[in-house]
Amino acid sequence: MPSLRLPDPPLGDGEIVLRAWTLSDVRALTAACRDPDIPRWTVVPSPYEERHARDYSAGCAEDRDAGRELARAIVAAVGARIS
């Protein structure tokens, strides 16, 4: 299966942007996935540890290159003022 193409231009609206997951997201991803409703309604492991977030972040590029998944993080755009 061919690699999935990234949106060009990247998706965003000036307030938020969709971008690749990175290792700098590990702490925030770990904290979010520790919400008890996340594993309740998804296949996210519980308890969720930083190693899970590191593995997920590292696997996203492999999944995109293999044509399986195009995972994106939703983050504030640089310079955006989100209230």
Side-chain angles (χ1 to χ4, degrees):
M1 189 176 270
S3 175
L4 296 172
R5 293 183 307 149
L6 295 173
D8 185 23
L11 300 175
D13 66 0
E15 296 290 320
I16 62 167
V17 66
L18 277 65
R19 63 156 173 77
W21 288 98
T22 67
L23 291 177
S24 65
D25 298 315
V26 166
R27 286 181 54 195
L29 183 56
T30 301
C33 289
R34 286 183 176 165
D35 178 314
D37 281 333
I38 300 296
R40 178 179 178 196
W41 301 107
T42 69
V43 296
V44 169
S46 180
Y48 197 85
E49 305 294 337
E50 282 193 5
R51 68 182 172 85
H52 295 114
R54 282 192 301 275
D55 290 348
Y56 177 76
S57 296
C60 286
E62 294 171 16
D63 287 341
R64 182 191 50 139
D65 292 344
R68 289 186 296 262
E69 181 178 324
L70 185 57
R72 302 279 92 184
I74 303 169
V75 299
V78 175
R81 294 180 52 129
I82 307 283
S83 312

